[in-house]
Amino acid sequence: MQTAQFASVYGPVKSWRFGRSLGIDPIGSVSTCSFNCVYCQLGEIEQQNATRKIFVPTERIRQDLLCFQPWNIDVITLSGSGEPTLAQNLGEIITLARILTEKPVGVLTNGSLLEDPSVRAELAIADFVAVKIDAVSDQQFQGINRPVQNLTLDKIWSGLKQFRQRYRGQLAIQTMLLSPWRDQDQINYITHLQELCPQEIQLNTPTRPKPLEHQLDARGNHELLQSYPVRSLKPVSEEVLKQFRDRIQAVLDVPVRYPALIH
């Protein structure tokens, strides 16, 4: 059941990655994800699983979208309170949002369900997809992303490469750096990217604190999120991001972006 305070559409959110973005949350007021990342802006995930179902009916999302007319935004982004590909009506929501708003529709995903052909087919409807890859070793993966049992980094890469074979939209890879990577880790990462041929790489580092408990408001702009207990995470330096960016661009002819850090 959804709480009275829950709205499936939120924002617009100011994003250094996507511009002025209106968010769609297909998951609901209870955070649900196949990961429980140590840096998650939502706080600790309340329900961790990898089982698909309909969390928020498509009609509810249509009604909530209509409340935001006219749509003075750049894009529609599916993200919200967990992993959006867990929503069985993912394809319906993407199609609805594009037809209703006539704006590009994207999905932010951790890629954990991409070995499922139905997920790949639904996700391929989106105009752009950003997939989170924060690790190049299983030890790093388990420590940072804290996935559901039996989910491995090899499965993530396998599903992502299968998705890439059919996807004709804009693919971005998002990578969170909590500390500088070792030389060999950087090499392995770039090798994988050469196989994927994404249109963009987005290097990130913690620029906002993590709530100690799940906070629905954390879906929005981080400058508004100061009313509950948080834990600050130390970002890597801008020089670390720049050096990694330069190394990637020396091999791949694609844009590599990272946020402007405030010192």
Side-chain angles (χ1 to χ4, degrees):
M1 297 294 293
Q2 307 301 325
T3 66
Q5 292 77 26
F6 173 77
S8 65
V9 181
Y10 60 95
V13 176
K14 299 175 185 176
S15 168
W16 65 270
R17 298 166 296 182
F18 307 111
R20 188 172 167 83
S21 170
L22 191 63
I24 292 181
D25 185 346
I27 299 301
S29 58
V30 177
S31 60
T32 306
C33 191
S34 49
F35 286 5
N36 186 19
C37 298
V38 296
Y39 60 82
C40 183
Q41 69 184 43
L42 298 171
E44 290 295 303
I45 294 299
E46 295 169 296
Q47 292 187 2
Q48 190 174 8
N49 65 63
T51 302
R52 301 190 79 199
K53 68 176 186 178
I54 293 178
F55 297 86
V56 184
T58 307
E59 177 58 24
R60 168 72 185 274
I61 291 173
R62 188 188 73 83
Q63 292 173 7
D64 288 348
L65 263 175
L66 290 173
C67 295
F68 284 81
Q69 292 185 92
W71 295 285
N72 181 25
I73 53 173
D74 299 310
V75 297
I76 302 284
T77 306
L78 275 71
S79 179
S81 299
E83 171 51 39
T85 62
L86 288 173
Q88 278 187 325
N89 53 343
L90 176 71
E92 288 182 5
I93 297 168
I94 296 170
T95 301
L96 165 75
R98 183 190 290 121
I99 292 173
L100 201 60
T101 68
E102 298 184 337
K103 299 290 184 180
V105 179
V107 181
L108 311 186
T109 176
N110 62 26
S112 60
L113 276 70
L114 285 178
E115 285 204 310
D116 183 336
S118 63
V119 172
R120 295 198 299 270
E122 292 173 51
L123 198 59
I125 300 171
D127 297 291
F128 66 92
V129 174
V131 182
K132 175 207 305 285
I133 295 289
D134 295 331
V136 288
S137 71
D138 266 318
Q139 181 180 5
Q140 194 181 27
F141 177 54
Q142 296 293 331
I144 294 173
N145 300 125
R146 300 187 297 182
V148 294
Q149 192 173 11
N150 298 324
L151 180 60
T152 66
L153 192 56
D154 282 344
K155 290 182 179 179
I156 300 284
W157 282 117
S158 173
L160 178 52
K161 289 171 183 177
Q162 290 179 73
F163 173 69
R164 188 55 175 144
Q165 290 174 2
R166 68 168 293 169
Y167 184 54
R168 297 296 176 261
Q170 298 291 308
L171 176 66
I173 300 299
Q174 297 181 339
T175 298
M176 177 70 76
L177 296 181
L178 301 181
S179 61
W181 281 13
R182 298 178 306 171
D183 183 72
Q184 188 59 51
D185 288 340
Q186 294 187 25
I187 292 172
N188 293 344
Y189 175 82
I190 292 170
T191 299
H192 279 300
L193 294 183
Q194 285 179 288
E195 293 184 60
L196 286 175
C197 299
Q199 277 86 10
E200 181 174 283
I201 312 298
Q202 299 164 358
L203 299 179
N204 211 342
T205 193
T207 56
R208 57 193 294 180
K210 175 181 177 174
L212 298 185
E213 297 180 351
H214 172 237
Q215 299 292 337
L216 189 61
D217 289 345
R219 301 178 305 179
N221 293 313
H222 72 275
E223 62 265 22
L224 304 177
L225 310 180
Q226 304 297 329
S227 60
Y228 42 75
V230 298
R231 178 167 65 91
S232 294
L233 300 170
K234 185 178 179 180
V236 301
S237 70
E238 193 161 352
E239 183 60 26
V240 167
L241 294 173
K242 181 179 182 300
Q243 288 178 356
F244 198 9
R245 178 201 66 185
D246 291 347
R247 186 169 191 177
I248 296 169
Q249 288 186 328
V251 178
L252 300 172
D253 186 23
V254 297
V256 180
R257 298 195 295 143
Y258 56 84
L261 302 182
I262 300 174
H263 300 285

